Amino acid sequence: MRLIKFRYRYSFFNLSILFLTLAVQVSAQEAKNFVIKGTVVDFESKEPLPFVAIELVNTKDGTTTNMEGEYSIPNNGIAKKIRFSFLGYDTEIKNITPGKSQTINLRMKPSVMALTEVEVRPDKKKYRNKRNPAYELIEKVIENKSRNRSESLDYYEYEKYEKTQFALSNFGDKLQHRKALKKFQFVFDNVDTTKLAGTKILPVYLKETLSDYYYRKSPKATKEIIKANKMVSFEGYLDNQGMTESLRYLYQDINIYSNDIPFLTNQFLSPIAASAPVFYKYFIQDTTEVKGTKCVKLYFSPRNKTDLLFQGFMYVTMDSSYVVKRIEMAVNKEINLNWVKEVNIVQEFDQIQDKGWLLTTDEISIDFGLSKNGMGLFGQRTVSYKNYKVNEVLDANLFKGVEIVKDKDADQKNKEFWNENRHQPLSKTEKGVYSVIDSVKKVPAFKRTMDIMMLVFTGYRDCGYFEIGPVNTFYSFNPIEGVRVRLGGRTTPKFSKKINFESYLAYGYTDKNYKYYLGTTYSLTDRTIFEFPVKSIKLSVQDETKIPGQDLQFVQEDNILLSIKRGENNKLLYNKTYKIEHLNEFANHFSYSLSYSYTRQSPGGSLFFNPIDYLAQVGTV
């Protein structure tokens, strides 16, 4: 990564730093959060039962147990009974007290048929594909996969609404008692208790995108035109473009019809991949309806819990098409996914114009954290697909250029536009994210803290039109220059979007020489030189020292740590360099640069240049 872009291009790591900073500054306001929780185990073995279906009777609220048999569901204050059901076990119904937190642990009894099997054969029955109706069903799903996947269509287009949000999760109420945090009490007026059952979360980031998407089968091509974009802005602290790229990488589209699914930097095998029956186990749970479509509810799980596989429920249509109508997937906790505590993926497909089944709802929720009970980061991406058009021929010119294009006015859409075009309205807490974060940024304590954080991690102090730094180069030492002091900085896009200046002046108290750098970069586009793709021309002149044999950056990062070196550091070059460079980046990430530089060198310290006889000894001249 080029040094000149370091200040403005941040990775997802910087977002985590910002959220942790918020967590240190804010305090919690007491919120009513009534939940019903507990553990469900087998009556005899007391082994935990995963994916037990749990619902509040006569309501739409429900959940399932995790791999440890644990569950948690909000007590809505309406239901008086809770139902537990699982294939091969008797359904249990327990009384609950509305509007009150309570713990209900349950030992589920196997059904009579299951008990009979245990008496005949006490050993655990080994799973087999042979004579397994679930296996026969999944084989039909795999067999019909090629004609059911969206890629089998010649053309299609749709409108896509994407909403990505992040929130602090599992934070403690003790923070509210700290005097230093009084100025941030308003933040916790926006606490949400609906995203994670039994857990309060504090939304701190929200991004919305509305776009038109086009697909052509042959030759294969796609095009996405972003027509509206809205996000929480941390301008001056985080790069919005860099944030967008990081989120796109973190939340990649999941296509269950592909054999391998990229997810969280790993490759997972799809539960309907051609080889899936070798690695997954399948069980028919029930028959049900999903939005009026009769389906078979299929449970799938890894044969080996440590393999990169999913587990969950699949709803397959009860007709000759064998389409996956809905899928609910999670990741086994025994898989080593760094900092990931829980994952939940839900996708739903609808039949469009009787021409095919296409994705209409896609939701990925991930709870990140260093420990099970510690504070974490909850992220959720929800995508809605509407206004499908299928097999209507698209103009070939539409697919020319880069695959993703953003309208120039996409970031300027007003509130009325979003109210009319969102596929689903924002919740109360989601609406509050924009205003709360704007208020947080205006609090002096937040500004001071973020300025310090940015100074530590980037080395620059933002002064508006100009930023001073890097601070780690203000002082250094070496035997030839002695104590070296340096002061410099560069302009920001607030000064100009087209042109950037960068300079520094340094002085060595032993060699009594000044060193300097002066450079200017001109953008050949209407974007700044910090926005990809860059097209620019750069001119610079530098008078600086260099250790022979070291290939450092053109603008040397002579921080104080470089003052500590092993061995005898008594040779130095004094370089005066003139350079011109043209950089051209393309949207497909291909780039090239053309440059010309001229350098004059002179020796320093014990280094000696002999212009007459290069074989002569230094001491004889």
Side-chain angles (χ1 to χ4, degrees):
M1 184 178 291
R2 292 182 301 279
L3 174 64
I4 200 168
K5 294 184 180 181
F6 180 76
R7 170 64 175 81
Y8 292 91
R9 292 190 176 180
Y10 298 106
S11 65
F12 182 72
F13 171 73
N14 299 83
L15 180 62
S16 302
I17 293 171
L18 180 61
F19 291 159
L20 291 175
T21 304
L22 283 171
V24 173
Q25 296 187 68
V26 296
S27 60
Q29 178 176 315
E30 188 67 30
K32 291 183 179 180
N33 187 28
F34 301 127
V35 298
I36 305 169
K37 61 181 180 179
T39 304
V40 182
V41 300
D42 180 87
F43 187 84
E44 305 235 349
S45 67
K46 297 182 181 179
E47 289 291 324
L49 297 178
F51 291 101
V52 175
I54 302 168
E55 60 179 328
L56 300 181
V57 179
N58 296 327
T59 73
K60 296 181 179 180
D61 295 334
T63 187
T64 59
T65 56
N66 60 20
M67 293 304 297
E68 285 72 39
E70 302 167 343
Y71 73 93
S72 179
I73 184 171
N75 190 342
N76 56 24
I78 300 174
K80 297 182 179 180
K81 295 180 182 293
I82 186 170
R83 179 188 293 115
F84 301 81
S85 56
F86 193 57
L87 183 67
Y89 288 81
D90 291 336
T91 298
E92 299 270 0
I93 298 178
K94 299 290 185 180
N95 294 325
I96 59 176
T97 303
K100 183 180 179 181
S101 293
Q102 50 211 284
T103 299
I104 299 179
N105 297 320
L106 184 65
R107 294 169 60 186
M108 295 191 74
K109 297 180 180 179
S111 62
V112 174
M113 181 179 296
L115 287 173
T116 302
E117 291 176 354
V118 171
E119 291 175 0
V120 174
R121 186 176 181 177
D123 294 335
K124 185 177 180 181
K125 187 176 181 180
K126 185 177 180 180
Y127 173 84
R128 296 180 182 276
N129 287 336
K130 189 176 182 180
R131 296 180 182 177
N132 179 2
Y135 170 75
E136 296 173 2
L137 178 60
I138 202 66
E139 282 287 281
K140 289 293 184 181
V141 173
I142 296 172
E143 181 182 332
N144 290 272
K145 187 172 68 169
S146 59
R147 67 184 181 92
N148 288 332
R149 62 190 305 164
S150 60
E151 290 84 355
S152 66
L153 300 170
D154 293 327
Y155 298 91
Y156 63 80
E157 58 185 278
Y158 55 75
E159 184 181 68
K160 173 184 175 182
Y161 170 71
E162 180 176 348
K163 178 176 62 180
T164 305
Q165 56 185 310
F166 284 96
L168 297 175
S169 64
N170 203 30
F171 48 87
D173 292 335
K174 293 182 179 179
L175 291 173
Q176 67 181 345
H177 302 299
R178 297 185 180 180
K179 294 181 180 180
L181 306 176
K182 289 182 178 179
K183 295 180 181 179
F184 295 93
Q185 292 290 327
F186 67 90
V187 172
F188 279 82
D189 292 336
N190 206 40
V191 167
D192 191 344
T193 59
T194 62
K195 298 291 183 181
L196 281 174
T199 304
K200 294 185 296 182
I201 66 171
L202 176 64
V204 291
Y205 181 83
L206 181 65
K207 181 179 185 297
E208 300 176 89
T209 302
L210 189 69
S211 59
D212 291 325
Y213 186 90
Y214 305 89
Y215 169 83
R216 181 183 66 191
K217 180 179 180 180
S218 183
K220 186 177 181 181
T222 62
K223 189 80 168 187
E224 182 175 1
I225 301 175
I226 299 174
K227 54 188 180 181
N229 187 67
K230 185 177 183 181
M231 62 190 299
V232 169
S233 176
F234 291 97
E235 187 177 357
Y237 303 119
L238 291 175
D239 172 37
N240 290 339
Q241 184 184 20
M243 279 294 305
T244 300
E245 293 300 323
S246 297
L247 293 175
R248 185 177 289 118
Y249 177 74
L250 182 65
Y251 286 103
Q252 294 174 296
D253 291 334
I254 290 179
N255 184 359
I256 62 170
Y257 284 94
S258 296
N259 288 330
D260 293 313
I261 300 175
F263 183 62
L264 294 176
T265 70
N266 293 282
Q267 291 285 340
F268 283 72
L269 184 70
S270 170
I272 60 173
S275 59
V278 177
F279 300 94
Y280 282 96
K281 297 186 291 186
Y282 301 90
F283 304 91
I284 291 179
Q285 293 272 289
D286 201 355
T287 57
T288 185
E289 283 194 5
V290 179
K291 291 185 178 179
T293 302
K294 292 184 178 180
C295 299
V296 176
K297 184 178 181 181
L298 200 66
Y299 171 67
F300 58 93
S301 65
R303 292 174 183 258
N304 184 348
K305 293 182 179 181
T306 59
D307 286 343
L308 292 178
L309 303 170
F310 296 104
Q311 60 190 31
F313 296 101
M314 186 188 311
Y315 299 80
V316 181
T317 57
M318 295 178 63
D319 56 24
S320 58
S321 64
Y322 297 100
V323 170
V324 177
K325 167 65 178 173
R326 179 181 172 90
I327 190 165
E328 303 164 357
M329 301 190 298
V331 173
N332 194 294
K333 292 185 178 181
E334 293 186 29
I335 299 176
N336 184 20
L337 292 177
N338 291 337
W339 301 347
V340 174
K341 294 195 291 185
E342 191 171 342
V343 172
N344 188 36
I345 302 168
V346 178
Q347 292 187 335
E348 196 163 302
F349 301 80
D350 288 326
Q351 192 171 26
I352 307 297
Q353 302 170 5
D354 294 327
K355 296 179 180 179
W357 290 79
L358 297 172
L359 186 64
T360 54
T361 301
D362 185 9
E363 184 177 286
I364 305 175
S365 302
I366 308 175
D367 191 16
F368 300 91
L370 295 177
S371 62
K372 181 178 180 180
N373 299 317
M375 189 184 69
L377 186 66
F378 173 75
Q380 185 179 67
R381 174 180 178 255
T382 304
V383 186
S384 172
Y385 306 85
K386 286 187 177 181
N387 303 328
Y388 269 102
K389 295 181 181 179
V390 179
N391 286 342
E392 295 185 12
V393 179
L394 297 170
D395 188 350
N397 292 325
L398 175 65
F399 298 98
K400 290 183 178 180
V402 296
E403 292 185 358
I404 302 177
V405 177
K406 184 178 177 181
D407 289 345
K408 291 184 178 180
D409 63 343
D411 294 325
Q412 280 74 50
K413 301 299 183 183
N414 56 30
K415 182 178 180 180
E416 289 70 25
F417 173 89
W418 282 104
N419 289 339
E420 293 175 3
N421 290 277
R422 282 190 184 99
H423 289 190
Q424 60 223 15
L426 297 179
S427 67
K428 181 181 178 181
T429 54
E430 290 170 345
K431 290 179 180 178
V433 174
Y434 292 115
S435 58
V436 167
I437 298 302
D438 285 342
S439 299
V440 167
K441 291 190 295 183
K442 295 176 183 178
V443 177
F446 174 81
K447 292 183 178 180
R448 287 193 299 269
T449 302
M450 288 309 302
D451 285 342
I452 294 173
M453 294 290 290
M454 297 304 294
L455 188 65
V456 171
F457 287 100
T458 70
Y460 284 88
R461 173 68 170 89
D462 193 345
C463 301
Y465 296 108
F466 190 81
E467 54 185 11
I468 300 174
V471 295
N472 54 14
T473 65
F474 285 176
Y475 172 87
S476 61
F477 174 84
N478 64 72
I480 300 172
E481 293 181 276
V483 173
R484 172 186 165 117
V485 293
R486 166 177 159 172
L487 183 64
R490 60 193 180 191
T491 59
T492 70
K494 292 181 181 179
F495 172 80
S496 173
K497 289 187 176 181
K498 296 288 289 185
I499 191 167
N500 170 268
F501 294 101
E502 185 170 3
S503 180
Y504 72 78
L505 180 66
Y507 181 75
Y509 281 88
T510 298
D511 67 354
K512 300 187 184 305
N513 282 335
Y514 285 96
K515 295 86 182 175
Y516 61 86
Y517 171 83
L518 178 62
T520 179
T521 308
Y522 183 78
S523 176
L524 301 177
T525 68
D526 56 356
R527 302 180 301 274
T528 72
I529 61 169
F530 308 108
E531 294 182 58
F532 177 85
V534 176
K535 299 180 189 298
S536 65
I537 292 180
K538 181 177 181 179
L539 301 171
S540 63
V541 58
Q542 183 182 42
D543 195 329
E544 186 55 278
T545 59
K546 178 181 178 181
I547 298 175
Q550 280 194 356
D551 187 14
L552 301 178
Q553 294 286 342
F554 185 64
V555 181
Q556 186 176 351
E557 293 295 329
D558 48 348
N559 63 66
I560 190 172
L561 294 178
L562 293 181
S563 302
I564 306 172
K565 292 185 175 69
R566 289 185 176 182
E568 190 175 3
N569 183 25
N570 61 354
K571 295 180 176 63
L572 211 62
L573 287 172
Y574 288 89
N575 292 345
K576 188 164 187 178
T577 303
Y578 302 88
K579 187 173 184 180
I580 180 171
E581 179 182 10
H582 169 56
L583 174 64
N584 195 352
E585 294 180 340
F586 296 89
N588 61 2
H589 297 280
F590 172 80
S591 67
Y592 70 85
S593 64
L594 301 174
S595 65
Y596 172 80
S597 65
Y598 174 77
T599 302
R600 290 185 63 88
Q601 294 183 326
S602 59
S606 63
L607 190 64
F608 178 76
F609 285 179
N610 187 342
I612 300 174
D613 183 2
Y614 65 89
L615 295 177
Q617 296 295 322
V618 174
T620 63
V621 178

